[in-house]
């Protein structure tokens, strides 16, 4: 039938057809809704998993960062406190523990001296957490921390450790590193970790971090390396050590200033001072010139400009303009050696005639007796010429201070050119004399009619003709009373270096400094400056803001303005590691050893004026500065 002849459907039929299609549309919509729910749920699960993974990784990174930071702080604490307590006083701060290489019952303990020194290949091991006073430290994956230390900074080194000691570790292109701390992270493919591989670097570390003996490390992380590395540079380590140096100097000079002659009573009053001025002898030591021999015993001079610590090194001869006189009849024993020894009178008294053995020379006319001047003067102005002394604290004498001074006098008798030498040696019964405007601090003996029995003395007088010893007379004595006298004064005594055994009580030597300042060669890097009002023997007004004090500018990173302290009585400055040349601001490379300030200090500190500065360490500034007196 032609389409045009098909009868139209009724309205009722059309409604039925529409109703039959409705369920199919509803089922389609429902399916879409179900799919949307499934996709949303899957996305939620996936995002939750990703978020959980990210959260775990963040948490692990935080644990790792905290462990590395704790280890770094402990290592720096070990280094700055190395000289305290259990360690010998001739090895100062800056030394780091060896790694843990042994295991067994000693896990977490630094390796012994012998094994740590054995070879460069031993520079890397586990962190010695027990030696550092820590519990076991692990990173975010649960792996123990590893650690490497530069050979120059290992605790067993006998070489000097100071701001010029280079770090020989390297991390990528970063050099001059003293220590490296490594968090291994989770094991990668091929790393079998177990008790048998506890001390096997390749089981925990990757790439250069796992290699031994080359002092090279890397912080670069990729699919083949998941180590996290933290370093301690030489500059960072020495910045902390310099603070210890400054505090030791500040403490020593504060003790010196408060009681330079060591005779204050329990209340702090000086028995030599009047009640109106109970601190009459408070003074700082004379400073030593920068032109003196580096890291040696240097004598103080009456100066306040930037200069060095005056050190009285034991067992080292030093020039001394001492004065001596004695009268020792009827005490001790006398020994004669040689063909022509001086007469006994020449050791019992500080004067006798010029003639050998107190007799005229054979065959010559009898001269008019000429007596040596009294007292015996070891000065250039006196006929003796310059004298010299040496101080010691022998173990055999229970570390008591021993003074030995020498001087000589050349003279002639008919036909002969002669020389007489005196040597005075005393142990015990010494006292300190505070410095003044005209004299350094000195040590002396003044026994006027009473010499304690524990005090021992030796006086030796020797006669020479050219280099030939003609004779020698020796007087040894121990304790005396009555009319005897012995006086030895004006023997310079600057700052002594102490050890745990050489000075039992530091009060006996106010201002004593730890021996490691000398053995670790810090003396070259420490400079002091007094305010004019604190110069020894200064008689003007005390330190005030206008004119007689030093000023210190304090500037910190990120601050546009600095604050200033205007009333400093002195400063102690310890130079940081020598800095390379920089273009802006223009600054040449620092070269050491040197006596030039520019090779040690930076900024205002190198000018040697009345204004100094303290600021954060940078590529152009690394001075550590501390007020000298409270």
């Amino acid at each position: 039938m032609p389409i045009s002849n098909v009868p139209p459907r009724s309205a009722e039929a059309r409604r039925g057809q529409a109703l039959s299609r409705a369920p199919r549309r509803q089922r389609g919509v429902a399916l879409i809704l179900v799919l949307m729910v499934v996709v949303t749920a899957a996305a939620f699960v996936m995002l939750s998993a990703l978020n959980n993974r990210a959260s775990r990784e963040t948490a692990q990174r935080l644990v790792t960062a905290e462990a590395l930071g704790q280890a770094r702080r402990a290592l720096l604490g070990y280094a700055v406190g190395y000289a305290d307590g259990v360690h010998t006083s001739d090895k100062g701060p800056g030394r780091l523990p060896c790694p843990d290489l042994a295991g067994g019952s000693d896990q977490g303990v630094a390796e012994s001296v012998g094994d740590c020194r054995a070879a460069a290949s031993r520079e890397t091991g586990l962190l010695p957490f027990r030696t550092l006073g820590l519990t076991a430290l692990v990173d975010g994956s649960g792996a123990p921390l590893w650690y490497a230390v530069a050979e120059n900074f290992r605790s067993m080194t006998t070489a000097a450790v100071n701001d010029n000691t280079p770090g020989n570790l390297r991390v990528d292109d970063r050099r001059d590193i003293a220590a490296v701390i490594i968090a291994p992270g989770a094991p990668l493919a091929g790393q079998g970790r177990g008790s048998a591989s506890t001390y096997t670097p390749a089981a925990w570390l990757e790439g250069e971090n796992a290699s031994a003996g080359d002092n090279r490390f890397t912080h670069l992380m990729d699919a083949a390396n998941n180590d996290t590395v933290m370093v301690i540079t030489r500059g960072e380590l020495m910045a902390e050590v310099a603070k210890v140096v400054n505090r030791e100097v500040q403490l020593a000079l504060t003790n010196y200033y408060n009681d330079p002659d060591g005779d204050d009573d329990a209340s702090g009053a000086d028995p030599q001072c009047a009640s109106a001025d109970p601190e009459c002898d408070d003074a700082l030591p004379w400073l030593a010139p920068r032109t003196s021999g580096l890291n040696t015993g240097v004598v103080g001079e009456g100066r306040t400009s930037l200069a060095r610590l005056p050190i009285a090194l034991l067992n080292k001869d030093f020039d001394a303009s001492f004065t001596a006189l004695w009268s020792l009849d009827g005490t001790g024993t006398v020994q004669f050696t040689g063909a022509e020894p001086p007469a006994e009178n020449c050791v019992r008294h500080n004067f006798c005639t010029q003639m050998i053995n107190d007799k005229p020379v054979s065959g010559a006319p009898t001269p008019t007796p000429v007596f040596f001047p009294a007292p015996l003067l070891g000065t250039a102005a006196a006929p003796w010429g310059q004298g010299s002394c040496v101080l010691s604290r022998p173990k055999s004498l229970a570390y008591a201070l021993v003074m030995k001074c020498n001087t000589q006098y050349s003279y002639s008798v008919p036909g002969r050119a002669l020389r007489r030498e005196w040597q005075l040696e005393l142990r015990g019964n010494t006292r300190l004399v505070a410095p003044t405007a005209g004299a350094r601090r000195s040590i002396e003996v003044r026994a006027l009619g009473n010499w304690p029995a524990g005090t021992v003395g030796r006086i030796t007088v020797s006669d020479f003709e050219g280099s030939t010893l003609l004779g020698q007379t020796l007087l040894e004595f121990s304790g005396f009373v009555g009319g005897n006298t012995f006086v030895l004064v004006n023997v310079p005594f600057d700052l002594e270096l102490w050890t745990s055994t050489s000075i039992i009580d530091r009060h006996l030597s106010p201002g004593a400094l730890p021996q490691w300042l000398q053995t670790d060669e810090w003396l070259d890097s420490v400079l002091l400056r007094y305010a004019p009002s604190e110069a020894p023997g200064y008689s003007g007004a005390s330190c005030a803001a206008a004119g007689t004090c030093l000023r210190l500018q304090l500037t910190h990173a990120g601050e546009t303005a600095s604050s200033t302290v205007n009333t400093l009585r002195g400063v102690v400055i310890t130079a940081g590691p020598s800095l390379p040349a920089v273009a802006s601001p223009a600054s040449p490379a620092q070269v050491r050893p040197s006596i030039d300030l520019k090779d040690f200090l930076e900024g205002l500190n190198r000018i040697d004026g009345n204004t100094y500065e303290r600021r954060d360490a940078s590529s152009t500034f690394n001075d550590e500065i501390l007020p000298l007196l409270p």
Side-chain angles (χ1 to χ4, degrees), residues 8 69 81 96-97 105 171 206 222 234-235 270 286 289 294 320 365-366 399 402 447 495 507 510 531 537 589:
L96 291 163
S105 60
V171 177
E206 297 84 48
D222 54 30
R234 186 256 297 245
D270 191 316
W286 288 21
L294 298 176
T366 302
Y399 302 104
V402 175
L495 301 175
H507 179 73

Side-chain angles (χ1 to χ4, degrees), residues 8 29 87 114 191 193 229 265 279 285 306 353 416 422 425-426 437 453 459 486 495-496 504 516 526 560-561 569 580:
V29 172
H87 301 291
Q191 288 182 324
R193 297 179 179 178
V229 173
D265 60 26
E279 299 177 350
L306 268 172
T353 62
R416 306 180 75 176
W422 289 259
E425 183 176 338
L426 290 305
I459 299 174
F486 187 93
L495 301 175
E496 189 174 358
I504 305 303
W516 54 259
V526 179
T560 57
R569 301 163 67 185

Side-chain angles (χ1 to χ4, degrees), residues 146-503:
W146 284 66
Y147 161 69
V149 58
E151 187 172 3
N152 293 338
F153 292 102
R154 295 180 191 179
S155 58
M156 53 64 192
T157 183
T158 57
V161 174
N162 55 49
D163 53 342
N164 291 316
T165 303
N168 64 330
L169 301 186
R170 176 177 176 179
V171 177
D172 298 319
D173 291 331
R174 193 174 183 185
R175 301 172 184 268
D176 205 12
I177 292 174
V180 176
I181 316 163
I182 309 173
L188 299 179
Q191 288 182 324
R193 297 179 179 178
S195 58
S197 60
T198 299
Y199 292 90
T200 304
W204 302 87
L205 311 176
E206 297 84 48
E208 289 185 328
N209 299 336
S211 62
D214 59 5
N215 294 322
R216 294 177 67 96
F217 300 85
T218 181
H219 79 288
L220 301 177
M221 301 178 69
D222 54 30
N225 185 352
N226 65 347
D227 299 338
T228 304
V229 173
M230 181 175 284
V231 305
I232 299 176
T233 67
R234 186 256 297 245
E236 292 167 340
L237 177 60
M238 288 299 109
E240 298 302 317
V241 174
K243 294 174 184 176
V244 179
V245 173
N246 279 358
R247 287 195 297 268
E248 286 287 354
V249 174
Q250 182 195 51
L251 173 62
L253 294 193
T254 298
N255 291 339
Y256 183 109
Y257 181 87
N258 290 334
D259 187 20
D261 55 2
D263 64 353
D264 284 4
D265 60 26
S267 67
D270 191 316
Q272 299 181 64
C273 300
S275 58
D277 187 13
E279 299 177 350
C280 66
D281 63 356
D282 287 1
L284 288 166
W286 288 21
L287 295 178
R290 296 192 304 276
T291 54
S292 299
L294 298 176
N295 205 56
T296 59
V298 289
V299 298
E301 295 183 356
R303 59 175 63 207
T304 60
S305 61
L306 268 172
R308 300 170 57 203
L309 288 164
I311 302 296
L313 290 182
L314 298 183
N315 306 309
K316 299 285 187 180
D317 287 330
F318 57 90
D319 292 341
S321 299
F322 64 85
T323 300
L325 60 88
W326 64 93
S327 179
L328 300 171
D329 291 320
T331 187
T333 59
V334 177
Q335 301 176 28
F336 301 95
T337 57
E340 299 180 89
E344 180 174 338
N345 186 52
C346 293
V347 291
R348 290 198 177 277
H349 301 274
N350 57 279
F351 56 88
C352 62
T353 62
Q354 289 182 339
M355 290 165 284
I356 294 174
N357 206 23
D358 279 353
K359 297 177 181 177
V361 178
S362 176
T366 302
T368 301
V370 178
F371 290 83
F372 290 111
L376 185 69
L377 300 175
T379 68
W384 317 101
Q386 183 68 29
S388 66
C389 294
V390 62
L391 305 175
S392 62
R393 290 186 181 274
K395 183 178 181 180
S396 60
L397 298 178
Y399 302 104
L401 183 66
V402 175
M403 292 194 300
K404 186 184 294 184
C405 293
N406 302 270
T407 192
Q408 64 182 10
Y409 176 54
S410 296
Y411 64 100
S412 298
V413 296
R416 306 180 75 176
L418 305 171
R419 184 178 80 257
R420 177 159 288 177
E421 293 186 357
W422 289 259
Q423 183 179 91
L424 313 174
E425 183 176 338
L426 290 305
R427 171 168 64 89
N429 201 33
T430 59
R431 63 180 292 269
L432 292 171
V433 180
T436 65
R440 298 153 58 191
R441 185 173 73 170
S442 63
I443 191 166
E444 67 178 26
V445 175
R446 290 181 183 270
L448 305 176
N450 184 13
W451 188 295
T455 305
V456 177
R458 294 164 57 95
I459 299 174
T460 305
V461 180
S462 306
D463 280 334
F464 294 83
E465 185 169 12
S467 60
T468 302
L469 175 65
L470 301 176
Q472 188 176 83
T473 304
L474 166 67
L475 169 64
E476 293 184 304
F477 54 95
S478 176
F480 56 75
V481 294
N484 290 310
T485 297
F486 187 93
V487 175
L488 174 61
V489 297
N490 299 329
V491 177
F493 191 78
D494 288 313
L495 301 175
E496 189 174 358
L497 298 172
W498 66 272
T499 68
S500 57
T501 53
S502 68
I503 300 179

